[in-house]
Amino acid sequence: CFTREGLLVLSGKEAQQNELLVKRYLRKSHGDIYVHADLHGAATCIIRNNSLNGAISLESLREAGTMSVCRSAAWDAKIITSAWWVHAEQVSKTAPTGEYLPTGSFMIRG
């Protein structure tokens, strides 16, 4: 889907799709943003930045965050919660030594 400002937002439905989205479409060099909520079933969302120097607005962040929460168990349970976002370079598939990240899980640094 697209934000009101015309930025593309990609969203996965399950762990394997989330894994694929981050590996293929999250661009560190373009200023893309990773959006998620710490809730069961919350969607991983990626906001693709159209310009190399342009910042993503708070409105676009809010829209992607709402999309992530709407796909979670909290939405059906009518629980008030929020999403969070990080820059693409903060998202990694590399776990700390001795730990394992299952499919669809990512390490957030910083």
Side-chain angles (χ1 to χ4, degrees):
C1 71
F2 291 89
T3 67
R4 291 180 197 170
E5 297 171 331
L7 296 176
L8 177 63
V9 179
L10 303 171
S11 174
K13 292 183 179 182
E14 38 88 5
Q16 290 179 336
Q17 286 183 352
N18 293 340
E19 190 87 23
L20 185 68
L21 283 174
V22 169
K23 283 183 178 180
R24 286 193 186 170
Y25 300 107
L26 185 63
R27 304 171 302 182
K28 296 177 182 181
S29 61
H30 285 72
D32 291 353
I33 298 289
Y34 177 88
V35 181
H36 195 55
D38 291 326
L39 303 160
H40 178 70
T44 288
C45 295
I46 296 171
I47 304 174
R48 299 271 294 206
N49 196 348
N50 292 341
S51 70
L52 293 175
N53 298 327
I56 294 176
S57 72
L58 289 176
E59 183 64 26
S60 290
L61 292 170
R62 189 176 304 113
E63 289 172 13
T66 300
M67 181 178 179
S68 181
V69 171
C70 286
R71 303 274 305 279
S72 72
W75 187 260
D76 291 332
K78 297 181 179 25
I79 296 172
I80 298 172
T81 189
S82 60
W84 49 267
W85 64 272
V86 294
H87 296 282
E89 58 271 6
Q90 294 177 265
V91 180
S92 171
K93 192 61 184 169
T94 306
T97 303
E99 292 187 30
Y100 168 77
L101 289 174
T103 301
S105 296
F106 305 96
M107 181 63 58
I108 306 299
R109 304 190 192 283

